[in-house]
Amino acid sequence: MGNEGKITPWEVEGKVNYGEIVKEFGLKEINEEILEKIKSFTGDLHVLLRRKYFFAHRDLDVVLNEAKTNGFFLYTGRGPSGPMHIGHLIPFMFTKWLQDKFKVNVYIELTDDEKFLEPKRKLSLEETRKWAYENILDIIAVGFDENKTFIFQDTEYIRNMYPLAIKIAKKINFSTVKAVFGFTNETNIGLIFFPALEIVPTFFEDKICLIPAGIDQDPFWRLQRDVADALGKRKSAQIHSKFLPPLTGIEGKMSASKPETSIYLTDDEKTVREKIYKHAFSGGQPTIELHRKLGGNPDIDVSFQWLKTLFEEDDNKLKKIEEDYRSGRLLTGELKDILIEKLVKFLQEHQRRREEAKEKVKDFKYDGKLAKEMWEKVFE
Ligand code: TYM
């Protein structure tokens, strides 16, 4: 079966066939062998790895081979187009885990330029810069090491990035980005140049760069690998996650512009409860009698899928929930309550740390050890 859905960095539509993507994008699957290799360094496995939510990679084996000798660095990012939802946080949580385990530097790019340039968003530069600040609070709340993490936004850090950006841009022609990103003659030239800026951080250190991100960002990395060859620099490695499905159904990804499809990191208990009860797509039967008789389908039930992805880490508990739901012992409302409890707890803790983050922004952007180093460095 082909990939019925559509994936570019700016659009994810329809049902995504992840097995097909692995072949189409030339990726390797996250399999038991690579998980064992990771475990030999980390001791345990993050739930997102264990459940293969991070499902594919490129050159992760190379990164692990070099981890003890040359080392590596991590790079990820966020396009500040509005408030962050739970799905956006996933790559950051995983990146933090990798930082803790491998004690490596993390670079986090906020593409306030990209979100301004995307025509369909209709955001002013003032707005995307404001969202960059708001999003940085959520990112800091994840708990990165302030001495080993540099968070920057393009419109501020551009002076240091520009020499390298133009070297990258010179190696990319219009027909390539047209093919990779679907640009047309109507695309504004800011967006056409932008891919160079998402590639720049992959060269921040001479070591190999590992990028944890959602699969929609892959076109940038395919381009990066061509450019790296042309510039005599290192090709980056990637580890890709699936999408956390929107509340409204397991297809596609959550959209920040459709509030009912996502849980925002700033949502309070009442909002979470209302959204889950009202919008979380259910694999249950229309009546209690039928549900008890026929059981529910966890495979299409969004509450169950969210528990499976992230919110119920205990494999035995998850298995019991799945069995009870399939058999009809557990009702849809009860399943939703399990998720709501976990989500509310998670968000309350996140929001507490987000408040604390307001005091820490400077450490990550200008004053921390890595931040200071980076502001002195110009990438010629
Ligand atoms: P953005 O802001 O669209 O998304 C931020 C990160 O979240 C991932 N993501 C998701 N992951 C799981 N489930 C979802 N429903 C979901 N929605 C989004 C994205 O894949 C991404 O990893 N251009 C980028 C910003 C960027 C970047 C980077 C991202 C700059 N440099 C390096 C990753 C790595 C963007 O607009 O991301």
Side-chain angles (χ1 to χ4, degrees):
M1 216 173 69
N3 206 15
E4 299 144 39
K6 180 173 168 188
I7 296 193
T8 78
W10 300 296
E11 220 170 351
V12 178
E13 270 176 13
K15 194 166 163 43
V16 181
N17 182 335
Y18 291 105
E20 205 60 42
I21 283 179
V22 168
K23 281 188 231 148
E24 212 175 288
F25 292 5
L27 302 168
K28 282 195 193 145
E29 269 177 26
I30 295 290
N31 57 19
E32 294 309 318
E33 192 189 334
I34 193 102
L35 287 182
E36 277 309 309
K37 200 162 176 180
I38 298 172
K39 221 169 141 184
S40 72
F41 288 90
T42 58
D44 57 2
L45 290 177
H46 194 282
V47 62
L48 293 165
L49 266 180
R50 217 164 8 103
R51 304 233 173 104
K52 300 200 178 122
Y53 186 77
F54 275 85
F55 73 106
H57 74 95
R58 230 186 247 115
D59 286 355
L60 180 59
D61 40 345
V62 178
V63 171
L64 295 171
N65 287 342
E66 294 187 18
K68 283 199 179 129
T69 50
N70 296 339
F72 68 96
F73 69 100
L74 292 161
Y75 161 46
T76 194
R78 156 77 182 149
S81 55
M84 281 170 76
H85 58 55
I86 296 270
H88 293 132
L89 207 61
I90 285 181
F92 293 99
M93 293 165 74
F94 183 59
T95 304
K96 184 225 178 288
W97 181 80
L98 288 171
Q99 179 178 57
D100 285 350
K101 294 291 178 180
F102 289 92
K103 309 271 181 277
V104 291
N105 287 343
V106 172
Y107 298 88
I108 298 173
E109 177 178 38
L110 279 104
T111 53
D112 50 2
D113 49 351
E114 175 192 20
K115 299 299 139 175
F116 165 67
L117 290 166
E118 263 182 73
K120 73 165 198 270
R121 294 199 183 265
K122 303 191 172 46
L123 291 167
S124 70
L125 191 53
E126 291 66 34
E127 284 169 312
T128 63
R129 291 174 117 172
K130 178 191 90 92
W131 284 119
Y133 172 77
E134 294 294 327
N135 293 173
I136 286 170
L137 298 180
D138 287 305
I139 293 167
I140 292 174
V142 170
F144 291 98
D145 175 345
E146 67 220 40
N147 287 315
K148 287 188 159 55
T149 308
F150 177 48
I151 304 180
F152 58 101
Q153 60 193 86
D154 288 348
T155 61
E156 262 184 46
Y157 197 56
I158 187 66
R159 177 185 165 275
N160 299 47
M161 298 166 81
Y162 197 64
L164 188 51
I166 54 175
K167 285 187 189 168
I168 293 166
K170 199 174 179 181
K171 299 289 180 197
I172 304 172
N173 61 39
F174 184 46
S175 68
T176 303
V177 286
K178 243 166 127 174
V180 174
F181 298 104
F183 292 155
T184 67
N185 287 345
E186 277 63 53
T187 307
N188 70 64
I189 61 170
L191 204 56
I192 295 168
F193 177 71
F194 170 75
L197 284 167
E198 188 152 332
I199 291 173
V200 165
T202 65
F203 301 127
F204 274 181
E205 295 186 16
D206 292 332
K207 302 165 182 172
I208 187 166
C209 169
L210 173 63
I211 309 167
I215 184 69
D216 57 335
Q217 300 299 305
D218 193 63
F220 292 109
W221 321 136
R222 296 200 297 270
L223 198 57
Q224 190 274 353
R225 291 170 65 89
D226 291 344
V227 172
D229 264 348
L231 291 176
K233 290 183 182 287
R234 295 234 39 189
K235 288 184 177 160
S236 63
Q238 294 90 43
I239 179 157
H240 290 305
S241 81
K242 297 180 183 173
F243 297 117
L244 187 67
L247 284 179
T248 42
I250 53 167
E251 294 188 354
K253 74 168 184 178
M254 282 185 279
S255 166
S257 52
K258 296 180 206 145
E260 73 278 10
T261 66
S262 10
I263 298 286
Y264 295 106
L265 298 173
T266 43
D267 281 348
D268 62 13
E269 179 167 356
K270 185 166 166 277
T271 312
V272 171
R273 206 170 283 283
E274 276 171 12
K275 280 190 185 171
I276 303 279
Y277 278 143
K278 198 159 166 214
H279 298 293
F281 186 83
S282 160
Q285 303 295 341
T287 65
I288 294 184
E289 290 69 37
L290 274 176
H291 190 87
R292 293 273 187 231
K293 198 166 140 201
L294 302 173
N297 180 1
D299 303 331
I300 58 163
D301 190 288
V302 172
S303 302
F304 181 77
Q305 292 302 322
W306 279 32
L307 286 168
K308 185 174 168 185
T309 303
L310 193 61
F311 293 104
E312 182 48 82
E313 288 193 26
D314 184 322
D315 290 343
N316 290 327
K317 283 189 187 159
L318 187 77
K319 195 160 162 250
K320 173 130 177 38
I321 293 171
E322 180 168 7
E323 284 168 3
D324 286 353
Y325 195 56
R326 245 184 239 289
S327 73
R329 272 195 300 275
L330 190 70
L331 299 173
T332 296
E334 293 166 335
L335 177 61
K336 288 188 172 185
D337 284 337
I338 297 174
L339 177 65
I340 289 167
E341 198 195 317
K342 296 265 178 192
L343 259 177
V344 167
K345 220 168 132 198
F346 175 87
L347 288 175
Q348 280 169 351
E349 174 63 11
H350 179 83
Q351 287 159 13
R352 191 186 59 74
R353 296 167 65 108
R354 191 180 193 279
E355 271 313 301
E356 287 174 8
K358 290 178 182 165
E359 303 297 314
K360 297 186 186 164
V361 176
K362 274 202 175 144
D363 296 336
F364 285 92
K365 288 187 81 179
Y366 318 107
D367 291 350
K369 189 166 165 286
L370 185 60
K372 273 198 183 137
E373 228 171 75
M374 294 307 286
W375 277 100
E376 279 165 18
K377 206 164 171 176
V378 174
F379 296 92
E380 288 184 292

